[in-house]
Amino acid sequence: METNQTDIKLKTPIRCIVKLGGAAITCKNEFEKINEANLVTVSSQLREAMMFGSSSGSVLEMDWSKRPGMTESLVKVDDFKEQQVLDFSSFVVIHGAGSFGHFQASTSGVHRGGLNQPLVKAGFVATRISVSSTFIQIIGIKRGIPSVAMSPFSCGWSTRERNIASADVSAVVEALDSGFVPVLHGDAVLDEALGCTILSGDVIISHLAAHLKPQFVVFLTDVFGVYDRPPAEPNAVLLREIAVREDGSWSVVNPTLEDSDKQVEISVASHDTTGGMVTKISEAAMIAKHGIDVYIVKAATEHSLTALSGKLRDKIPDDWLGTVIRHVS
Amino acid sequence: METNQTDIKLKTPIRCIVKLGGAAITCKNEFEKINEANLVTVSSQLREAMMFGSSSGSVLEMDWSKRPGMTESLVKVDDFKEQQVLDFSSFVVIHGAGSFGHFQASTSGVHRGGLNQPLVKAGFVATRISVSSTFIQIIGIKRGIPSVAMSPFSCGWSTRERNIASADVSAVVEALDSGFVPVLHGDAVLDEALGCTILSGDVIISHLAAHLKPQFVVFLTDVFGVYDRPPAEPNAVLLREIAVREDGSWSVVNPTLEDSDKQVEISVASHDTTGGMVTKISEAAMIAKHGIDVYIVKAATEHSLTALSGKLRDKIPDDWLGTVIRHVS
């Protein structure tokens, strides 16, 4: 992996990397539709978690672009002048595409590569436009968070046979050190072997976690966590805690399952072409083995706020719903 | 200048770098309003110029996102399957912000730096959202051109005292080599001395021209070229040809002015905070001294199409309106 970085030095240690799952922030069965109610709640929770322990109280709008039907911006400059500081603890946000980008990518087969085919080349362009517009809407709504878009393709990230080949995180580190919240997303990227492919948000998270060593990672999804079978089934059991060993292998420690070695059945939205729930646990285990706690939790609930605030690091409350994946020595 | 590149090797030599001036593609006196008629014509001319000598005839829509009021994409996949190739000569597009971003940047003073001030920090975020949305609209409209957004801040470009400090063009080169048209724009960036500042599209062009060595550079603007005084004045004379010497100094060679050493008066829209017309000539001269022809021409006219097509490199027609800035040995 040519990552051009061996020693990442952050001014302030990074607190958290958050994945906003596509299924949690878009309407998965409707083409290019944001789940606005969820996204507003998620944004508020993110802001609350980032401001934790900080003196900056009021929510200051940072999207000064005009609104439909208006001819000028409504920004109140004086509000900012009254504000003493604008400090946020160090977060990185990665969002999935959900119902954005998926149609374009699957129609054209961008993930299979072959840029010499007009359909694939056009699909690459179309996918990038779609995932970037999601992004714009997300940062537009995430008011009060000083977020800056950092599109992996633009950052020069590329793959070889779908594995990360080049992913210099220095631009992300500089943005963090300047007090911004970098926002990345699953993207169409160039692939040294295939020509092009899709780089998923989950792969981006693993890479950033390994290099930035956050205190914890939160996956916000549309179910309460990881279950032992599809969560819609009547006897589905939420896996509350998964222990990860040094070699990355993992097992469920709470609840105690009758057959703890059995394969967890896959429960994942059908449009998630980037991997199912087993893939998700395995990716989470790769993060957890670095000593980084991973929480998989339903977005826009009291449980997600608890996870984002970092309170689970000390003690997991009995009434908390979600899955904790962490290293045991 | 730490640019991390000494030998840029492009698979195919780059043909042209085009600047879409903010004044030409937005309505300069209206907050965040695209000049859509101009932009459609500019896009068509760009496509025609890029396809010059290529076998790809039909215009294939590459924005497959849904349109307002529609629930699904209108893309015709079969059209792409019938297309044999999708070849474009190698172009890079840089656009100015025009009436986007300017309000946000000037209200907050982002160009002066000072990220510890909440107003500047918020203005940085607000500026980036505004210039990125311009961009989205532009690539949306530029149908049929395989363009990919490459935001300078996301690419990790930064400045020191407003001069480029770090600007790795390798991601731009890789996009070009894969047959895409990179689209960059003036952006808010981090500055090692000031904290942050505005990196103008003109500085980006100079940097890319010096490193990528295109055959020619075209500045599309809202007047016919460079005049000897404000073009609205009755006796304003269009400067048709400016000769640049080895040291970057320049003089007007056509028409022969009574006093050829006199300062060209500045004619520039008041919202262009990134420099006036003399700055523009000086920047163009820095490009031309590398042996790269520079054409300054009114956007969306027959003259701009002539310039974009590269026909001026052989001979400048008598009826062509615009300014040619080139090296004389």
Side-chain angles (χ1 to χ4, degrees):
Chain A
M1 200 184 287
E2 300 157 19
T3 52
N4 309 331
Q5 66 256 326
T6 42
D7 290 289
I8 305 276
K9 291 266 182 264
L10 278 158
K11 278 189 203 164
T12 312
I14 180 171
R15 186 161 168 78
C16 175
I17 301 181
V18 187
K19 165 78 183 291
L20 310 187
I25 56 167
T26 71
C27 302
K28 52 187 168 181
N29 297 321
E30 287 184 67
F31 181 47
E32 297 191 346
K33 189 163 195 301
I34 289 279
N35 183 335
E36 204 169 318
N38 252 19
L39 194 53
V40 166
T41 307
V42 165
S43 301
S44 302
Q45 291 192 350
L46 274 172
R47 187 176 186 285
E48 193 176 332
M50 289 174 189
M51 302 295 286
F52 188 66
S54 162
S55 55
S56 314
S58 55
V59 176
L60 297 175
E61 164 78 78
M62 293 192 198
D63 177 8
W64 302 351
S65 293
K66 71 177 177 187
R67 302 270 166 269
M70 293 184 182
T71 54
E72 56 185 47
S73 172
L74 290 177
V75 61
K76 292 179 188 140
V77 170
D78 289 344
D79 290 350
F80 288 91
K81 291 182 177 158
E82 285 164 15
Q83 194 83 3
Q84 289 303 303
V85 285
L86 205 59
D87 283 341
F88 287 82
S89 60
S90 203
F91 271 63
V92 177
V93 174
I94 289 123
H95 66 82
S99 59
F100 289 78
H102 173 72
F103 164 78
Q104 288 85 350
S106 60
T107 301
S108 59
V110 168
H111 56 290
R112 288 190 300 270
L115 274 180
N116 57 334
Q117 299 164 52
L119 180 64
V120 175
K121 189 169 182 178
F124 188 99
V125 172
T127 301
R128 297 212 68 238
I129 292 175
S130 182
V131 294
S132 304
S133 22
T134 329
F135 168 69
I136 290 298
Q137 295 171 58
I138 288 166
I139 57 172
I141 290 171
K142 259 200 338 270
R143 294 170 193 166
I145 299 174
S147 51
V148 285
M150 311 204 78
S151 193
F153 171 81
S154 303
C155 291
W157 290 30
S158 63
T159 54
R160 189 186 303 120
E161 297 275 5
R162 300 198 182 92
N163 295 311
I164 285 181
S166 174
D168 185 353
V169 303
S170 58
V172 175
V173 169
E174 279 159 30
L176 280 167
D177 278 344
S178 296
F180 293 109
V181 177
V183 179
L184 291 83
H185 57 81
D187 204 0
V189 296
L190 301 180
D191 185 285
E192 291 171 17
L194 307 167
C196 65
T197 195
I198 297 293
L199 177 65
S200 78
D202 289 341
V203 173
I204 296 169
I205 289 231
S206 297
H207 184 78
L208 289 180
H211 287 86
L212 301 180
K213 300 278 193 313
Q215 293 176 349
F216 55 99
V217 168
V218 180
F219 287 87
L220 298 177
T221 181
D222 62 342
V223 287
F224 279 105
V226 184
Y227 289 79
D228 67 337
R229 70 201 77 183
E233 289 188 13
N235 297 321
V237 175
L238 179 65
L239 308 179
R240 291 172 171 272
E241 194 169 347
I242 293 170
V244 179
R245 288 173 290 270
E246 205 67 47
D247 62 358
S249 66
W250 50 271
S251 54
V252 179
V253 292
N254 180 13
T256 314
L257 298 182
E258 289 157 33
D259 174 8
S260 65
D261 287 332
K262 77 175 177 183
Q263 179 79 9
V264 173
E265 290 180 53
I266 296 168
S267 153
V268 68
S270 62
H271 74 263
D272 184 1
T273 55
T274 59
M277 198 54 100
V278 168
T279 308
K280 178 149 284 182
I281 296 178
S282 300
E283 295 260 19
M286 295 302 286
I287 296 170
K289 73 173 187 167
H290 295 292
I292 302 162
D293 280 9
V294 178
Y295 313 122
I296 302 179
V297 62
K298 185 167 184 171
T301 60
E302 58 181 300
H303 311 293
S304 57
L305 181 58
T306 303
L308 290 167
S309 303
K311 292 175 187 165
L312 299 176
R313 298 182 71 219
D314 303 323
K315 187 185 184 315
I316 300 168
D318 291 338
D319 60 352
W320 184 76
L321 289 181
T323 302
V324 175
I325 299 169
R326 61 178 151 198
H327 183 253
V328 285
S329 49
Chain B
M1 201 184 289
E2 300 158 17
T3 52
N4 309 333
Q5 66 256 326
T6 43
D7 290 289
I8 304 277
K9 291 267 182 265
L10 278 158
K11 277 190 203 163
T12 312
I14 180 170
R15 185 161 169 79
C16 175
I17 301 180
V18 187
K19 165 79 183 290
L20 310 188
I25 56 167
T26 70
C27 302
K28 51 187 168 182
N29 298 321
E30 286 184 66
F31 181 47
E32 298 192 346
K33 190 165 196 300
I34 289 279
N35 183 334
E36 205 170 317
N38 252 20
L39 192 54
V40 167
T41 306
V42 164
S43 300
S44 301
Q45 291 193 351
L46 275 172
R47 188 177 185 283
E48 192 175 333
M50 289 174 189
M51 302 295 286
F52 189 65
S54 163
S55 55
S56 314
S58 54
V59 176
L60 297 176
E61 164 76 78
M62 291 192 199
D63 178 7
W64 302 351
S65 293
K66 71 177 176 185
R67 304 270 165 273
M70 294 183 183
T71 53
E72 56 185 47
S73 171
L74 290 177
V75 60
K76 293 180 188 138
V77 169
D78 289 344
D79 290 351
F80 288 91
K81 291 181 177 159
E82 287 164 12
Q83 195 82 3
Q84 289 303 303
V85 284
L86 205 60
D87 283 342
F88 289 81
S89 59
S90 203
F91 272 63
V92 177
V93 174
I94 289 122
H95 66 82
S99 59
F100 289 79
H102 173 72
F103 164 78
Q104 289 86 347
S106 60
T107 301
S108 58
V110 169
H111 57 288
R112 288 190 300 270
L115 274 179
N116 57 334
Q117 299 164 51
L119 181 63
V120 175
K121 189 168 181 179
F124 188 98
V125 172
T127 302
R128 296 212 69 237
I129 292 175
S130 181
V131 295
S132 304
S133 22
T134 331
F135 168 70
I136 291 297
Q137 294 172 59
I138 288 167
I139 57 171
I141 291 171
K142 259 200 337 271
R143 293 169 195 168
I145 300 174
S147 51
V148 285
M150 310 204 77
S151 193
F153 170 81
S154 302
C155 291
W157 291 31
S158 62
T159 54
R160 189 186 302 121
E161 296 276 4
R162 299 198 182 91
N163 295 310
I164 285 181
S166 173
D168 185 352
V169 303
S170 59
V172 175
V173 169
E174 278 159 30
L176 280 166
D177 278 343
S178 297
F180 293 109
V181 177
V183 179
L184 291 83
H185 57 81
D187 204 359
V189 296
L190 301 179
D191 185 285
E192 290 171 17
L194 306 167
C196 64
T197 195
I198 297 293
L199 177 65
S200 77
D202 289 341
V203 174
I204 296 169
I205 289 232
S206 296
H207 184 79
L208 288 180
H211 288 86
L212 300 180
K213 300 278 194 314
Q215 293 176 349
F216 56 99
V217 168
V218 180
F219 287 87
L220 298 177
T221 180
D222 62 341
V223 287
F224 279 105
V226 185
Y227 290 79
D228 65 338
R229 72 201 75 184
E233 288 188 16
N235 297 321
V237 174
L238 179 65
L239 308 178
R240 290 172 172 272
E241 194 169 347
I242 292 170
V244 179
R245 288 173 290 271
E246 206 66 47
D247 61 358
S249 66
W250 51 270
S251 54
V252 179
V253 293
N254 179 14
T256 315
L257 299 181
E258 288 157 33
D259 174 8
S260 65
D261 286 333
K262 79 175 177 182
Q263 178 80 5
V264 173
E265 289 181 52
I266 295 168
S267 152
V268 70
S270 61
H271 74 262
D272 183 2
T273 54
T274 60
M277 198 54 100
V278 167
T279 308
K280 179 149 283 186
I281 297 178
S282 301
E283 294 260 17
M286 296 302 286
I287 297 170
K289 74 174 186 167
H290 294 293
I292 301 163
D293 281 9
V294 178
Y295 312 122
I296 301 180
V297 62
K298 186 167 183 171
T301 61
E302 58 181 300
H303 311 293
S304 58
L305 181 58
T306 304
L308 290 167
S309 303
K311 292 175 185 165
L312 299 176
R313 298 182 73 220
D314 303 323
K315 188 184 183 313
I316 300 168
D318 291 337
D319 61 353
W320 185 76
L321 289 181
T323 302
V324 175
I325 299 169
R326 60 177 151 198
H327 182 253
V328 285
S329 51

